[in-house]
Amino acid sequence: MGHADGSAASGMARREDLRLVTGHGRYSADWNLPGQLHAVFLRADRAHAEIVGFDASRALAHPGVKAVLTGEDARATGFKSLPNIVGYPGKDGQQIRKPFHPILAMGRVRYVGEPVAMIVADTAAIAEDARELIDVEYRDLASTTSFDDAIRDGAPQLHEEIPGNLALEFESGDAAAVDAAFSSAAHVSTLTVDSQRLVGNALEPRACLVAFDDKSGGYTIHVPLQGVGGMKGQLAHVSGIEKDKITLVAQDVGGSFGVRGGAYPEYFALMIAARKLGRPVKWVATRTETFMSDCHGRALSLTGELALDPDGRFLAIRWTDRADLGAYGGPFGSFIATKNLTVTIGGVYRIPAMFASTRLAYTNTVPISAYRGAGRPDIAYAIERLVDYAAHEHGFDAIELRRRNFIAPDAMPYQTPNAGAYDSGDFRAVMEDALERADWNGYPGRRIESQRIGKLRGIGIATYLEAGGGGAAPKDQVAVEFDERGGMMLYAVTQSSGQGHETVFPQIVAETLGIAAANIRFHPSPPSADLVGNGTGGSRGVLGTGSAFLVLARKLIDLARPHAAATLEVSESDVTYAGGRFQSAVRAERNDVKSKDERLAEITFIDLACSLSGTKPHPLDTTAEGVFGTTYPNGCHIAEVEIDPDTGTSTVLRYTAVDDLGTVINPTLVAGQVHGGVMQGAGQVFGEKAVYDPETGQLLTASFADYFMPHAGLLRHIDVHEHPVPTPTNALGAKGVGEAGCSGSLPALVNATVDALRPLGITHLDMPFTPARMWAAIEETRKAK
């Protein structure tokens, strides 16, 4: 693994790792409270049905059972529908048609896995036994499990108030300008790509422990999350409880990728039970529940049309998209399929006219929400497949076609025709860097080597761009508190789920102050300040929270300066700061004379902080904040894939990633994020897919016996390099990295696979490229001959 300057990966080593790999992490399921009860959920075993009878009498009579809660109990609390964040209008001003999303099913179930009742008992085992004693009588209804089926005439209706199951039609761009460009185009290419439904499957299954304090009326909730602010806001909105009455506790979170960003029905049911029973209540999901109740991701179908002039210059691009929201739509599902999907519909290319229309529909499936990239990898994949497809369809060189259409660096900031402005980037330079590092020109020889052993080999390129940052909170705030030894505890509302916050945030402050990071720690939940911020969504951990910590560190120097001047007995104007020390030129001159009243010429920041301890709050305790805009991470990924035509097995032989992530603070953490993102993309490309039976609505891939799990051997060789173009939109110049690997790997790997199959006459296949699907496609071409 290398970097743009040729150096090895560097930066402060990850602090978290020793604790996590030695089993000393503390996840949500590891928390326990005295007197706690345990909960399990009875879930719908069918996709669509009316609840015509419910009898929990035998369960309630079972020894150790404390309560059985149903939708009626939830209704009685006055809790609102689970949230949906789309408040903006769609086509012709229409508002999204969002059904009531209950905590526990009320009158009807709409997907397999929907919680119907919660059983609370002295132990989880007792609760599980009691669950088997509940009798539910259903009247089965027809179900629908795909977008196309859901919107057809006569399709089963999920919600009476939403005829046709259509939630929203959304448009972005100038349809008339696009139509005009297409009418004069010399070449037009059209391609439909599916980004299949996925199960997030974080390493840590969801768990939640809720305690209610009758005296204060407050709740303490131990739960996996991405950020305190977002989770607290959703909990408060649905429950009607003031935010200051909700305390969230999370130390370690075993993966999120957006799946942990929302408040799930189970959390509210536990809140109701904890208050009703006067004891803490805990629930830990099984892996099967993860498959059936965690929000799924992707589930998008994108049809792209590209108009070109005779020389291959792009004139216009048009998208017609379809989005499956699941039974209710997760908190972010409709946002993903509208604004998130359309903000970068032109990618890295100068395209004068752009337009996108999206339709969103409800189906009898698990609700859709964010999954690593949340629409941005999907549109990056679709754009780069369409560009590659157009190049081969019309006889253009795929590399030269990209060169001809890149947005130039001197056009930055570049205002897109339909959305925001790209802040910075040098897309051609990034691609040229990647071509050289991947030895693109040497590929023909490597292809011949594969042909000699009877294998098909392909090379694929993707010059992706995605939007990072954003967020609902108006700003990012951080805080610091000092101890008596001068040590610092940093606070923010962003929660790490593997990114390395305990490493990088102290590193930013330490490097700015010029002191050892050993003196600084980070905690994601401030005890004494009601901070706001945007969590980690949209790859904004470092660019948002990190920039705020840079502002904080600079503020600390200014705050400490008068105290240093008093200690050195000089005026503030005589004090300078460098290398972790306040210095006085006046004192230094006196020291040269070696006068008898010789005093300090300098004092370290840490010593000064120690000398000021003894009062609470510490004189240097403070907060800082900043407003940091959207950034556009981009890069060029190049993959080489080899296929065994006799088995359909695909092997990734080489993978090169060159990314413009702006200023890189810690290359080790960046490399880890890119590796993980590329691997998740590879999982989608080569195996992952949530499959429903179209007749029954049953989830057929509800365990790892049937659902593909990416493994280390899937990606044996990867080179990660940086080509930074710092952004002016935040204090650090960072662009974010969390979704970059996914955004680049989906199109690069698919383009490489299709390139390997192209000699057989195959010009497109949809993911996933399982051995069975690949073998069948190859056999079909053989039969045709």
Side-chain angles (χ1 to χ4, degrees):
M1 180 179 64
H3 297 273
D5 60 0
S7 64
S10 59
M12 184 173 145
R14 280 176 54 101
R15 289 179 166 181
E16 301 89 338
D17 289 353
L18 182 62
R19 180 181 81 248
L20 299 178
V21 302
T22 56
H24 291 89
R26 195 171 194 184
Y27 299 91
S28 295
D30 296 324
W31 294 93
N32 293 288
L33 294 172
Q36 72 187 23
L37 298 171
H38 297 264
V40 301
F41 287 87
L42 173 67
R43 298 184 182 276
D45 61 358
R46 58 206 69 201
H48 199 194
E50 290 182 3
I51 302 173
V52 296
F54 184 91
D55 184 359
S57 58
R58 291 192 301 150
L60 286 166
H62 191 67
V65 173
K66 303 302 181 184
V68 175
L69 272 64
T70 68
E72 290 306 313
D73 296 290
R75 190 202 303 269
T77 65
F79 281 21
K80 302 184 182 112
S81 170
L82 269 67
N84 145 66
I85 68 170
V86 169
Y88 46 82
K91 178 182 178 181
D92 299 327
Q94 64 180 266
Q95 297 298 315
I96 188 168
R97 293 172 282 276
K98 175 75 167 70
F100 188 89
H101 188 170
I103 294 165
L104 297 168
M106 294 193 299
R108 183 183 292 196
V109 295
R110 293 180 172 87
Y111 66 94
V112 173
E114 182 171 6
V116 174
M118 182 176 73
I119 303 92
V120 184
D122 288 329
T123 68
I126 292 173
E128 289 170 359
D129 289 341
R131 179 172 55 194
E132 302 302 316
L133 302 176
I134 296 176
D135 296 314
V136 184
E137 183 182 352
Y138 293 105
R139 184 175 74 83
D140 287 330
L141 302 171
S143 62
T144 179
T145 59
S146 69
F147 176 95
D148 289 338
D149 187 61
I151 64 167
R152 66 175 170 81
D153 291 340
Q157 298 298 290
L158 271 74
H159 308 280
E160 292 181 2
E161 68 274 27
I162 306 175
N165 298 318
L166 198 63
L168 183 69
E169 295 178 89
F170 180 81
E171 294 181 345
S172 177
D174 188 335
V178 167
D179 290 344
F182 269 88
S183 68
S184 63
H187 306 290
V188 173
S189 285
T190 303
L191 182 68
T192 297
V193 300
D194 290 337
S195 185
Q196 70 271 29
R197 174 183 286 261
L198 303 178
V199 181
N201 266 320
L203 185 64
E204 174 196 14
R206 277 191 299 128
C208 186
L209 171 61
V210 178
F212 175 72
D213 182 2
D214 189 53
K215 291 182 180 179
S216 67
Y219 292 84
T220 300
I221 304 175
H222 301 73
V223 66
L225 44 77
Q226 282 190 209
V228 172
M231 180 64 73
K232 186 178 289 189
Q234 292 182 49
L235 291 170
H237 171 76
V238 174
S239 68
I241 297 162
E242 295 297 324
K243 290 182 183 180
D244 61 4
K245 298 290 186 182
I246 299 173
T247 300
L248 298 178
V249 180
Q251 176 175 302
D252 297 309
V253 176
S256 178
F257 315 115
V259 180
R260 298 289 183 263
Y264 283 86
E266 294 88 351
Y267 307 161
F268 299 103
L270 291 164
M271 291 173 69
I272 295 170
R275 180 166 190 165
K276 180 177 181 177
L277 299 172
R279 292 168 63 179
V281 184
K282 180 178 181 178
W283 165 71
V284 179
T286 64
R287 180 57 65 179
T288 297
E289 284 183 295
T290 294
F291 276 93
M292 295 195 305
S293 65
D294 281 18
C295 286
H296 290 179
R298 309 291 193 235
L300 295 163
S301 181
L302 315 176
T303 298
E305 301 168 84
L306 184 63
L308 304 87
D309 73 6
D311 297 322
R313 289 183 175 82
F314 299 162
L315 302 175
I317 197 165
R318 177 165 53 209
W319 295 99
T320 306
D321 305 331
R322 299 168 294 160
D324 177 353
L325 293 178
Y328 300 98
F332 308 107
S334 50
F335 176 77
I336 291 164
T338 53
K339 287 200 170 180
N340 241 26
L341 199 62
T342 58
V343 69
T344 56
I345 56 173
V348 294
Y349 307 108
R350 182 185 289 275
I351 306 177
M354 301 194 295
F355 178 74
S357 64
T358 307
R359 292 180 296 163
L360 293 67
Y362 296 110
T363 64
N364 293 114
T365 58
V366 172
I368 292 289
S369 193
Y371 174 77
R372 198 164 193 163
R376 299 188 299 281
D378 310 85
I379 192 63
Y381 161 56
I383 292 166
E384 287 303 292
R385 273 299 295 131
L386 179 59
V387 169
D388 231 50
Y389 185 87
H392 290 93
E393 183 178 26
H394 301 298
F396 294 106
D397 178 82
I399 302 300
E400 186 53 40
L401 187 64
R402 288 175 167 86
R403 288 189 180 117
R404 194 168 298 171
N405 288 284
F406 281 142
I407 300 166
D410 59 11
M412 299 295 176
Y414 175 76
Q415 178 62 51
T416 65
N418 75 306
Y422 296 170
D423 54 283
S424 60
D426 191 343
F427 308 136
R428 177 164 182 168
V430 169
M431 186 182 76
E432 302 298 344
D433 191 355
L435 291 171
E436 181 178 352
R437 293 181 184 279
D439 187 23
W440 181 274
N441 291 334
Y443 166 72
R446 296 191 293 275
R447 188 170 202 169
I448 292 172
E449 292 174 4
S450 294
Q451 291 172 342
R452 286 173 180 162
I453 58 174
K455 303 291 180 66
L456 303 170
R457 187 167 184 149
I459 191 168
I461 186 170
T463 48
Y464 78 90
L465 173 142
E466 58 114 357
K475 54 191 172 184
D476 289 283
Q477 293 179 324
V478 296
V480 62
E481 293 182 359
F482 285 78
D483 63 26
E484 65 278 3
R485 297 181 302 277
M488 286 176 265
M489 180 65 81
L490 307 178
Y491 296 102
V493 296
T494 185
Q495 173 70 47
S496 175
S497 53
Q499 296 94 333
H501 293 174
E502 292 175 46
T503 301
V504 71
F505 294 150
Q507 179 184 342
I508 291 169
V509 174
E511 290 180 353
T512 306
L513 293 176
I515 64 175
N519 296 297
I520 310 172
R521 294 174 293 157
F522 170 74
H523 195 279
S525 183
S528 58
D530 188 16
L531 302 179
V532 300
N534 288 287
T536 58
S539 298
R540 67 168 295 111
V542 165
L543 70 89
T545 306
S547 287
F549 276 124
L550 176 63
V551 173
L552 178 90
R554 291 170 175 169
K555 182 178 179 180
L556 283 173
I557 295 172
D558 292 337
L559 282 176
R561 191 181 304 277
H563 298 287
T567 301
L568 298 175
E569 298 183 8
V570 296
S571 66
E572 288 186 45
S573 61
D574 290 327
V575 176
T576 60
Y577 186 84
R581 300 170 181 272
F582 288 100
Q583 297 176 322
S584 166
V586 175
R587 281 294 131 211
E589 291 172 4
R590 293 177 184 174
N591 284 345
D592 288 341
V593 179
K594 297 188 181 298
S595 59
K596 291 184 179 181
D597 63 342
E598 182 179 86
R599 279 166 288 198
L600 289 175
E602 64 179 23
I603 186 170
T604 68
F605 184 91
I606 297 300
D607 287 343
L608 178 64
C610 287
S611 71
L612 296 173
S613 63
T615 61
K616 282 292 184 180
H618 189 282
L620 298 184
D621 289 355
T622 191
T623 62
E625 63 184 47
V627 178
F628 309 110
T630 299
T631 68
Y632 293 87
N634 61 89
C636 179
H637 289 202
I638 297 174
E640 292 186 35
V641 172
E642 190 176 72
I643 304 168
D644 184 338
D646 295 326
T647 65
T649 302
S650 302
T651 303
V652 182
L653 297 179
R654 296 164 63 99
Y655 197 98
T656 302
V658 176
D659 298 295
D660 168 16
L661 307 170
T663 302
V664 172
I665 308 301
N666 189 306
T668 300
L669 297 183
V670 164
Q673 286 288 302
V674 174
H675 281 202
V678 170
M679 178 59 81
Q680 282 186 260
Q684 180 173 358
V685 171
F686 294 112
E688 291 190 61
K689 184 178 183 179
V691 179
Y692 280 91
D693 184 314
E695 299 298 324
T696 65
Q698 292 292 328
L699 180 60
L700 303 180
T701 51
S703 75
F704 282 120
D706 302 298
Y707 189 90
F708 179 80
M709 178 189 286
H711 52 85
L714 187 62
L715 195 66
R716 301 176 186 177
H717 180 91
I718 179 171
D719 284 327
V720 176
H721 304 273
E722 300 148 11
H723 194 111
V725 179
T727 174
T729 64
N730 61 68
L732 286 169
K735 292 181 177 177
V737 63
E739 282 98 357
C742 255
S743 298
S745 63
L746 288 179
L749 289 167
V750 173
N751 282 343
T753 304
V754 172
D755 185 60
L757 297 172
R758 192 172 286 110
L760 304 180
I762 298 173
T763 58
H764 181 69
L765 280 178
D766 273 318
M767 304 177 288
F769 299 147
T770 62
R773 176 177 281 190
M774 297 297 287
W775 182 85
I778 293 169
E779 281 299 298
E780 190 67 26
T781 64
R782 289 172 173 172
K783 291 177 183 178
K785 293 180 181 179

